């Protein structure tokens, strides 16, 4: 009579949980969200060898006066702290996936880069104006970086289109959906101080959501 233990050992091997999780990530995460998160992860790993912020952050001194205009596009992909990486994945996996699935990858990609570029251009313009008014070079050296500037804008776009009486939960608080981005911004400001880039991200997101930036929208017919 064959041994039961031999039969079990001859069965298929147990699936690798890491490989299974990775395959699920590839299958369930839309294109733009996946590439964005992958880029942020690469930035985090690269931070062990050099400072990505120095090379890719939107710093007016380098963006304008050194003509490194690529920083306007690359700044959202910077991440150098594990805790920040954790919350970025939580936030973007939630809002990014939902909005990209509803809009489609082409329109969502256009939204992502529209919010990024407009927010960063406003950041540069305001920083230069403040430098001109105060003659303080610190305004030229401040940086706009990290995904949260763009992600706050995406959340604002999403919430501006939410039903009138809908609500969102922020930890133990229940907030009307329209004011949810402002609640997140207030929470960030309490712990990390007020950041101009985050404020601009929310403002640009609301403007886009309420139709004030329709000229930047990609038409659905074009996307198809």
């Amino acid at each position: 009579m064959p041994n039961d233990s031999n039969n079990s050992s001859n069965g298929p091997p147990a699936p690798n949980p890491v490989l299974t999780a990775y395959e699920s990530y590839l299958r369930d995460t839309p294109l733009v969200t996946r590439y964005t998160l992958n880029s942020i992860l690469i930035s985090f790993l690269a931070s062990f060898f050099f400072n990505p912020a120095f090379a890719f952050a939107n710093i007016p001194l380098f963006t304008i006066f050194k003509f490194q205009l690529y920083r306007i596009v690359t700044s959202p992909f910077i991440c150098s702290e594990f805790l920040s990486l954790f919350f970025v994945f939580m936030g973007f996996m939630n809002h990014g996936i939902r909005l990209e699935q509803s809009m489609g990858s082409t329109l969502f990609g256009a939204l992502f880069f529209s919010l990024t570029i407009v927010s960063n251009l406003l950041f540069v313009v305001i920083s230069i104006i403040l430098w001109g008014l105060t003659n303080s070079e610190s305004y030229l050296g401040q940086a706009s970086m990290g995904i949260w500037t763009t992600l706050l804008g995406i959340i604002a776009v999403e919430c501006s289109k939410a039903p009138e009486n809908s609500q969102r939960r922020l930890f133990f608080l229940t907030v009307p959906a329209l004011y949810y981005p402002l609640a997140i911004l207030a929470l960030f400001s309490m712990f990390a101080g007020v950041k101009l880039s985050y404020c601009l991200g929310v403002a640009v997101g609301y403007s886009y959501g309420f139709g004030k930036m329709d000229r930047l929208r990609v038409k659905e017919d074009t996307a198809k």
Side-chain angles (χ1 to χ4, degrees), residues 165-180 183:
N165 296 322
S166 61
Q167 296 181 328
R168 296 288 176 87
R169 180 168 291 277
L170 181 63
F171 298 110
F172 57 87
L173 297 175
T174 301
V175 183
L178 183 61
Y179 303 111
Y180 181 68

Side-chain angles (χ1 to χ4, degrees), residues 11 34-35 45 64 77 81 145 157 167 176 217:
R34 184 168 70 246
Y35 281 150
L45 296 175
I64 300 301
F77 304 106
E81 298 178 359
M145 62 181 181
V157 171
Q167 296 181 328
R217 292 179 184 269

Side-chain angles (χ1 to χ4, degrees), residues 14-176:
N16 186 323
V18 176
L19 180 59
T20 302
Y22 178 70
E23 290 175 344
S24 176
Y25 168 75
L26 292 180
R27 183 179 63 252
D28 300 333
T29 309
L31 183 69
V32 177
T33 300
R34 184 168 70 246
Y35 281 150
T36 299
L37 293 176
N38 290 349
S39 300
I40 292 171
L41 179 60
I42 292 172
S43 171
F44 171 74
L45 296 175
S47 68
F48 289 99
F49 305 99
F50 69 97
N51 185 1
F54 185 77
F56 300 111
N58 181 26
I59 304 172
L61 180 63
F62 296 108
T63 303
I64 300 301
F65 295 98
K66 300 292 184 180
F67 206 65
Q68 297 175 1
L69 300 179
Y70 66 88
R71 292 173 179 268
I72 292 174
V73 177
T74 59
S75 64
F77 304 106
I78 298 171
C79 181
S80 58
E81 298 178 359
F82 179 77
L83 188 61
S84 176
L85 181 70
F86 174 75
F87 283 110
V88 162
F89 265 75
M90 284 185 59
F92 213 85
M93 289 287 283
N94 181 15
H95 299 282
I97 288 178
R98 183 166 61 238
L99 198 56
E100 185 171 354
Q101 287 176 339
S102 65
M103 298 178 64
S105 294
T106 302
L107 291 177
F108 181 74
L111 170 66
F112 180 93
F113 285 107
S114 294
L115 296 177
T116 298
I117 292 171
V118 173
S119 298
N120 274 329
L121 287 176
L122 288 174
F123 179 85
V124 167
V125 169
I126 293 174
S127 296
I128 292 177
I129 291 174
L130 291 174
W131 166 65
L133 293 175
T134 64
N135 203 29
S136 173
E137 293 188 359
S138 62
Y139 290 111
L140 298 181
Q142 63 181 350
S144 171
M145 62 181 181
I147 194 63
W148 280 106
T149 298
T150 304
L151 182 54
L152 285 169
I154 290 172
I155 295 173
V157 171
E158 182 186 14
C159 291
S160 66
K161 299 179 180 299
E164 185 176 352
N165 296 322
S166 61
Q167 296 181 328
R168 296 288 176 87
R169 180 168 291 277
L170 181 63
F171 298 110
F172 57 87
L173 297 175
T174 301
V175 183

